[in-house]
């Protein structure tokens, strides 16, 4: 595993983060530190996390409750995310992005989720799905056109799921018919996050239905394209400030130069990118759980019953320690999956584990936190019940828990092939 | 400009068992809020092209570098870390820091020194004033507005009676008060850019400064525990209670 740099007592040479995109760099470090703990960060990563923590507390926290109540993301919050460079974390500086690493994105997503998981998911989708796809697959022209916008003011949406295809993603029915140098797209999508605010949509449509999933193609569609209709957003249990809308494509005309990558390769791109996106969701669930926990423990230290702090009851202590352990495990799974990915090593199984586990831990933590808070945990005056509602989607989106488990099992099976 | 590094107030301050000070081990340290405002003001002056270069300085142990990096991420051009650690750091006070700043100002040929009006850990409110005195420079302290007019600085100061406006010649020392500005967040792209900016290490001895303290802390005590009050029903009861306590 590539060594991660601690911030303080390292010489200049070792301070450069070894987990940059070029894994080859790891072989050229002058000083080889003993294997540092997983929770070690480069100076850059520490600074970013601290900056986002502060920003989230001051610029996002005051709006969280209202955004949840009204089921609307505040426009100022979104522009603030762009201003801070949080929407183009891995986009190179030459395209106007921040020019940092995947692990930095993970830390940002985690910190945002501690304050508002809805804001965190907007940032996660932008960075781990949209930006990644365009950076890895875009032609230079497409990159020049879209990356600067994605880094500075344009939100993106990823459109794969349909009403009849969720986990069975590749049975999608949206069709793209070729006519000379353009395609006519007909169909619909469901559960599209960020759709209310997105300026660009990555739409998965089948350009060769006869070829089954090998016809799935990724199209870049601008918001004001004729034939694109964005439906009314869902009224959800949690993550309410994150817009989730159905889309309809009614003879929508898209030029072939808006195809991302190759025709018929869309399914590969979707899988590849969702593997990394999984780690992002793991970070979101982790942040959600930690944020909830951080609000609750202080209460247990203040609340007195039967003459002592409720924290001091052994029953409470055991439960709290158990949850803290689960949180730590989730954190290590998530960070390790991220470091593996950055090191260019195989990470799919670990990413599944991280996402599955973090979602479970979020459910456990938030449920317990409400209990520990007692009656006040059940009211909207305290932030705990929101975390409880928000966590449930973790076991569902970007690959349900059952899908994660099946994927892991397949890989475990292969591991034992002679 | 100078960005003192200080102990961020932990939720509960505890006096050390030997009563020589408060516990600082394991407490998160960060930039003094008033100094953040000072950094912001300096960066603003640079953005208005009134100032060529902003240098962030901090005195303290290794961790101070993080604070300087934050200043760089806010827009300072380079940093100077004056290394003071261990026992020397524990006894480092405004007088020694002022001597360091004065020496640096001369060495760097600075035209303007901006710092926070006071550090929120010791609340001394002395460094700016002492630095100006050592350099024999004019000072504009508790600044809530700073404007450059030709070769003079117009400073609006917050004083007990209201606001006082003064004009001082450069070079000068300015200390920042709360309402001077709202410090910007270090954006992520700026944090990345800050990585390429230089921080130079310097020792007080290199500047000819003796950091030994002229003060000896005899003891530090916690404030007396606040007694709980008593509720009374009527004004008559209140007067009786006050008489009982010998207050009236």
């Amino acid at each position: 595993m590539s060594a991660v740099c601690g911030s303080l007592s390292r010489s200049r040479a070792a301070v450069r983060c070894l987990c940059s995109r070029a894994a080859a760099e790891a072989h050229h470090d002058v000083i080889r530190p003993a294997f540092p703990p997983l929770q070690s960060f480069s100076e850059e990563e520490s600074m970013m996390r601290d900056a986002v923590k502060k920003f989230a507390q001051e610029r996002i926290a005051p709006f969280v409750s209202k955004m949840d109540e009204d089921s609307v993301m505040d426009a100022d919050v979104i522009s603030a995310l762009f201003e801070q460079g949080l929407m183009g974390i891995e986009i190179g500086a030459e395209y106007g992005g921040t020019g940092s690493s995947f692990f930095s994105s993970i830390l940002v997503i985690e910190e945002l989720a501690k304050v508002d998981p809805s804001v965190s998911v907007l940032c996660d989708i932008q960075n781990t799905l949209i930006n990644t796809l365009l950076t890895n697959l875009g032609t230079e022209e497409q990159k020049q056109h879209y990356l600067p916008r994605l880094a500075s003011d344009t939100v993106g949406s990823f459109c794969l799921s349909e009403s009849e295809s969720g986990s069975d993603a590749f049975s999608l029915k949206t069709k793209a018919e070729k006519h000379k140098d353009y395609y006519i797209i007909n169909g619909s999508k469901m559960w599209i996050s960020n759709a209310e605010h997105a300026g660009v949509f990555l739409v998965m449509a089948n350009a060769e239905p006869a070829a089954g999933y090998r016809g799935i193609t990724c199209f870049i569609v601008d918001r004001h394209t004729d034939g694109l209709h964005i439906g009314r957003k869902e009224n959800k249990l949690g993550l309410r400030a994150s817009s989730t809308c159905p889309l309809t494509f009614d003879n929508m005309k898209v030029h072939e130069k808006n195809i991302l990558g190759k025709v018929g390769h869309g399914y590969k791109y979707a899988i590849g990118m969702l593997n990394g996106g999984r780690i992002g969701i793991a970070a979101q669930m982790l942040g959600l759980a930690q944020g909830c926990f951080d609000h609750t423990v202080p209460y247990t230290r203040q609340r007195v019953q039967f003459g002592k702090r409720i924290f001091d009851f052994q029953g409470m202590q055991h439960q709290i320690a158990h949850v803290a352990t689960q949180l730590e495990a989730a954190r290590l799974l998530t960070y390790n999956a991220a470091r593996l990915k950055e090191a260019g090593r195989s990470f799919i199984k670990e990413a599944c584990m991280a996402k599955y586990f973090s979602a479970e831990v979020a459910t456990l933590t938030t449920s317990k936190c409400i209990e520990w808070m007692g009656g006040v945990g059940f009211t909207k005056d305290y932030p705990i019940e929101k975390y409880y509602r928000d966590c449930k989607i973790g076991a569902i989106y970007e690959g349900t828990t059952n899908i994660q488990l099946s994927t892991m099992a397949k890989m475990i099976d292969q591991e034992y092939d002679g | 400009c100078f960005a003192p590094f200080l102990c961020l107030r932990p939720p509960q301050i505890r006096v050390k068992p030997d009563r020589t000070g408060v516990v600082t081990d394991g407490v998160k340290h960060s930039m003094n809020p008033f100094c953040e405002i000072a950094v912001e003001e300096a960066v603003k002056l640079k953005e208005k092209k009134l100032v060529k270069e902003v240098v962030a300085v901090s005195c303290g142990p290794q961790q101070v570098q993080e604070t300087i990096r934050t200043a760089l991420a806010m827009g300072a051009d380079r940093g100077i870390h004056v290394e003071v650690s261990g026992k020397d750091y524990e006894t480092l006070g405004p007088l020694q820091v002022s001597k360091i700043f004065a020496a640096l100002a001369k060495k760097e040929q600075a035209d303007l020194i901006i710092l926070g009006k006071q550090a929120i850990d010791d609340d001394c409110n002395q460094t700016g004033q002492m630095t100006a005195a050592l350099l024999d420079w004019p000072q504009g302290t508790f600044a809530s507005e700073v404007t450059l007019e030709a070769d003079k600085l117009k400073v609006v100061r917050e004083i007990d009676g209201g606001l006082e406006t003064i004009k001082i010649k450069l070079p000068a020392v300015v200390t920042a008060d709360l309402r001077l500005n709202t410090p910007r967040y270090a954006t992520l792209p700026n944090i990345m850019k800050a990585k390429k900016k230089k921080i130079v290490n310097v020792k007080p001895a290199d500047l000819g400064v003796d950091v030994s303290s002229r003060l000896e802390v005899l003891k530090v005590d916690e404030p007396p525990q606040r007694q709980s009050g008593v509720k009374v029903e009527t004004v008559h009861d209140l007067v009786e209670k006050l008489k009982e306590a010998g207050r009236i």
Side-chain angles (χ1 to χ4, degrees):
Chain A
M1 161 185 158
S2 59
V4 177
C5 324
S7 53
L8 298 181
S9 49
R10 303 275 189 250
S11 79
R12 261 308 99 214
V15 161
R16 162 175 290 286
C17 176
L18 298 178
C19 304
S20 58
R21 280 149 279 176
E25 275 189 51
H27 299 296
H28 296 298
D29 57 333
V30 172
I31 291 159
R32 193 120 173 78
F35 294 97
L38 272 172
Q39 300 200 45
S40 304
F41 311 109
S42 69
E43 197 183 336
E44 165 191 331
E45 288 162 354
S46 292
M47 284 188 70
M48 292 212 180
R49 131 177 293 175
D50 290 344
V52 175
K53 192 190 275 277
K54 184 169 183 234
F55 164 80
Q57 264 314 314
E58 294 174 16
R59 296 283 295 275
I60 301 178
F63 300 95
V64 171
S65 183
K66 183 162 202 308
M67 296 197 293
D68 178 62
E69 191 82 37
D70 298 343
S71 196
V72 171
M73 181 85 63
D74 188 289
D76 284 339
V77 165
I78 301 181
S79 6
L81 289 174
F82 279 110
E83 265 166 41
Q84 288 299 115
L86 301 180
M87 297 290 265
I89 298 171
E90 285 179 85
I91 293 180
E94 69 272 27
Y95 296 107
T98 297
S100 187
S101 64
F102 178 70
F103 197 84
S104 292
S105 303
I106 294 303
L107 289 179
V108 169
I109 294 165
E110 184 191 351
E111 283 305 318
L112 288 175
K114 287 180 187 170
V115 172
D116 190 352
S118 294
V119 175
S120 178
V121 84
L122 183 128
C123 181
D124 164 79
I125 290 170
Q126 185 91 346
N127 282 289
T128 67
L129 304 187
I130 315 294
N131 294 350
T132 303
L133 277 169
L134 270 159
T135 302
N136 291 349
L137 301 165
T139 61
E140 193 52 43
E141 199 191 318
Q142 287 169 337
K143 290 202 273 205
Q144 296 278 357
H145 183 74
Y146 288 104
L147 291 179
R149 289 170 55 198
L150 289 168
S152 60
D153 60 18
T154 307
V155 175
S157 268
F158 180 68
C159 314
L160 176 63
S161 294
E162 298 178 0
S163 61
E164 305 304 307
S165 55
S167 293
D168 189 8
F170 296 157
S171 69
L172 62 88
K173 298 268 182 305
T174 299
K175 290 197 192 13
E177 255 179 40
K178 191 165 203 282
H179 295 261
K180 290 189 258 204
D181 61 353
Y182 61 90
Y183 286 78
I184 299 285
I185 299 181
N186 276 291
S188 62
K189 295 290 179 189
M190 271 201 81
W191 314 117
I192 307 308
S193 296
N194 296 355
E196 198 173 28
H197 299 278
V200 68
F201 297 81
L202 296 182
V203 178
M204 302 301 233
N206 202 321
E208 285 170 59
Y213 65 86
R214 290 173 194 277
I216 296 175
T217 306
C218 184
F219 293 88
I220 308 172
V221 180
D222 289 313
R223 187 187 185 89
H224 299 291
T225 304
D226 261 333
L228 170 63
H229 302 286
I230 300 165
R232 192 183 55 113
K233 67 180 164 216
E234 305 289 342
N235 185 4
K236 308 194 297 288
L237 167 68
L239 242 58
R240 289 173 58 78
S242 160
S243 60
T244 309
C245 310
L247 305 184
T248 352
F249 314 115
D250 187 5
N251 289 324
M252 183 173 75
K253 187 171 158 190
V254 179
H255 197 280
E256 69 181 355
K257 67 174 168 59
N258 275 32
I259 291 179
L260 186 61
K262 298 200 185 78
V263 174
H265 284 229
Y267 73 97
K268 261 189 262 173
Y269 305 151
I271 300 180
M273 170 222 63
L274 284 168
N275 283 331
R278 213 142 274 182
I279 306 176
I281 297 298
Q284 183 214 19
M285 287 293 127
L286 175 62
L288 184 163
Q290 188 66 54
C292 185
F293 191 77
D294 290 343
H295 272 109
T296 308
V297 172
Y299 179 84
T300 64
R301 298 174 72 233
Q302 273 173 15
R303 173 84 173 164
V304 172
Q305 289 285 274
F306 303 107
K308 57 183 184 180
R309 306 181 305 170
I310 60 177
F311 188 98
D312 292 326
F313 288 88
Q314 191 177 59
M316 287 291 288
Q317 293 189 331
H318 287 187
Q319 289 178 26
I320 290 171
H322 174 74
V323 168
T325 307
Q326 304 300 303
L327 272 169
E328 177 78 356
R331 173 159 295 114
L332 298 178
L333 275 171
T334 307
Y335 287 178
N336 196 44
R339 294 293 188 200
L340 281 171
K341 177 178 191 290
E342 281 196 329
R345 288 164 58 166
S346 129
F347 71 95
I348 299 173
K349 185 180 76 168
E350 289 78 4
C352 289
M353 288 176 162
K355 196 258 185 190
Y356 150 65
F357 194 74
S358 293
E360 296 287 295
V361 171
T363 305
L364 167 72
T365 306
T366 53
S367 185
K368 278 298 171 198
C369 283
I370 294 192
E371 288 174 33
W372 298 335
M373 300 279 288
V376 302
F378 205 65
T379 71
K380 281 184 180 277
D381 293 324
Y382 286 72
I384 312 302
E385 59 82 33
K386 177 177 179 291
Y387 288 106
Y388 178 74
R389 287 185 285 108
D390 286 344
C391 78
K392 206 61 228 166
I393 194 64
I396 299 172
Y397 69 0
E398 281 209 41
T400 65
T401 287
N402 288 348
I403 292 289
Q404 307 296 342
L405 292 168
S406 295
T407 306
M408 280 184 241
K410 239 187 286 189
M411 305 193 75
I412 294 168
D413 195 12
Q414 284 167 4
E415 280 168 28
Y416 289 87
D417 277 339
Chain B
C1 69
F2 298 80
F5 159 85
L6 85 156
C7 167
L8 192 67
R9 257 194 204 137
Q12 239 186 7
I13 305 173
R14 293 197 312 275
V15 174
K16 287 201 276 205
D18 63 4
R19 293 161 95 203
T20 55
V22 297
V23 174
T24 58
D25 277 347
V27 175
K28 181 144 170 59
H29 286 55
S30 78
M31 198 189 301
N32 182 34
F34 292 112
C35 294
E36 245 180 341
I37 297 174
V39 173
E40 174 65 24
E41 197 62 21
V43 173
K44 273 196 153 110
L45 286 171
K46 194 179 87 150
E47 285 171 346
K48 290 193 200 139
K49 301 212 190 320
L50 299 170
V51 144
K52 255 197 342 223
E53 192 191 29
V54 175
V55 183
V57 180
S58 197
C59 305
Q62 189 61 22
Q63 294 96 302
V64 147
Q65 300 236 357
E66 239 180 83
T67 307
I68 301 178
R69 285 251 172 255
T70 308
L72 294 175
M74 284 172 71
D77 297 295
R78 58 185 169 92
I80 300 178
H81 168 204
V82 182
E83 261 187 76
V84 181
S85 40
K87 210 70 199 79
D88 281 340
Y89 185 61
E90 278 174 44
T91 57
L92 191 71
L95 183 57
Q96 300 102 305
V97 173
S98 313
K99 288 179 183 168
I100 292 172
F101 285 175
L104 271 173
K106 286 201 190 111
K107 183 161 176 262
E108 298 284 332
Q109 297 184 306
D111 297 299
L112 180 60
I113 301 179
I114 309 183
L115 59 168
K117 68 173 180 181
Q118 66 200 57
I120 66 169
D121 53 7
D122 58 16
D123 277 338
C124 281
N125 190 349
Q126 297 169 5
T127 307
Q129 293 88 333
M130 284 178 172
T131 309
L134 287 168
L135 288 165
D136 197 25
W137 285 7
Q139 54 183 265
T141 53
F142 309 103
S144 69
E145 205 185 298
V146 171
T147 339
L148 193 62
E149 288 182 1
D151 61 339
K152 294 208 182 59
L153 217 55
K154 188 175 89 171
V155 181
V156 177
R157 308 178 56 230
E158 296 199 9
I159 59 174
D160 289 341
L163 296 173
E164 180 194 50
T165 308
I166 59 172
K167 253 201 195 136
I168 53 178
K169 278 196 265 204
L170 291 170
V173 175
V174 169
T175 72
D177 208 325
L178 191 61
R179 280 155 281 275
L180 181 57
N181 59 50
T182 309
R184 66 195 61 193
Y185 294 99
T187 66
L188 266 46
N190 283 343
I191 290 175
M192 293 298 290
K193 286 189 199 134
K195 278 168 53 173
K196 301 197 182 83
K197 298 181 182 175
K198 283 192 170 30
I199 299 180
V200 162
N201 270 32
V202 160
K203 293 209 176 35
D206 300 338
L207 300 168
V209 174
D210 169 20
V211 290
S212 51
S213 181
R214 307 290 197 265
L215 302 172
E216 186 195 335
V217 172
L218 294 176
K219 71 175 161 87
V220 175
D221 280 323
E222 284 182 10
Q225 287 282 19
R226 205 183 147 176
Q227 300 295 332
S228 56
V230 175
K231 264 192 175 157
V232 293
E233 294 294 307
T234 65
V235 173
H236 175 80
D237 288 342
L238 175 63
V239 172
E240 285 308 311
K241 282 266 180 245
L242 287 173
K243 279 191 185 151
E244 252 173 66
R247 300 292 188 195
I248 52 173

